Amino acid sequence: SDDASLVEADSKRDHSATTPTSSSGERTDLITPDTESKHVHDVYDAIATQWHHTRGKRGVLWPGATQFLENLPKGSVVADVGCGDGKYFSAIWASDSYVIGTDI
């Protein structure tokens, strides 16, 4: 099939030319740029406690998201990427489902 041909052609392609590396050969696409650390990570770290007490702790949830999660088939596995403080976990557990949450 055409898809199989594309996968095969891509597997033969030399990806080293498109993967950014440092002079020592270390992959730089896996390193957080200083700009992101200073202007994104530091801001989120600075507001995390206040956010939790003003939004997360008081249980402000989007009704549509909560309804969707509570109606999952029993035993579902949910990946909550960007879960913050895990405010939707209880809705997932209410459907007898499992959650894997991550946030950086």
Side-chain angles (χ1 to χ4, degrees):
S1 81
D2 290 334
D3 289 338
S5 299
L6 290 173
V7 170
E8 182 180 351
D10 189 59
S11 69
K12 293 178 182 177
R13 193 174 127 223
D14 179 10
H15 291 277
S16 62
T18 60
T19 303
T21 57
S22 66
S23 58
S24 64
E26 180 182 19
R27 287 184 63 169
T28 57
D29 60 331
L30 301 177
I31 299 171
T32 302
D34 288 337
T35 309
E36 184 176 339
S37 290
K38 290 178 188 173
H39 300 288
V40 178
H41 296 193
D42 290 352
V43 169
Y44 277 104
D45 289 344
I47 67 169
T49 300
Q50 179 190 11
W51 188 95
H52 175 69
H53 289 292
T54 61
R55 292 174 190 84
K57 190 175 184 181
R58 66 181 184 189
V60 177
L61 304 175
W62 291 353
T66 302
Q67 182 181 16
F68 170 78
L69 294 168
E70 289 176 342
N71 289 300
L72 290 170
K74 183 178 180 176
S76 294
V77 177
V78 176
D80 189 348
V81 179
C83 66
D85 60 359
K87 67 182 184 176
Y88 286 99
F89 288 7
S90 60
I92 296 165
W93 295 327
S95 69
D96 286 327
S97 294
Y98 305 92
V99 63
I100 300 167
T102 183
D103 207 316
I104 56 172

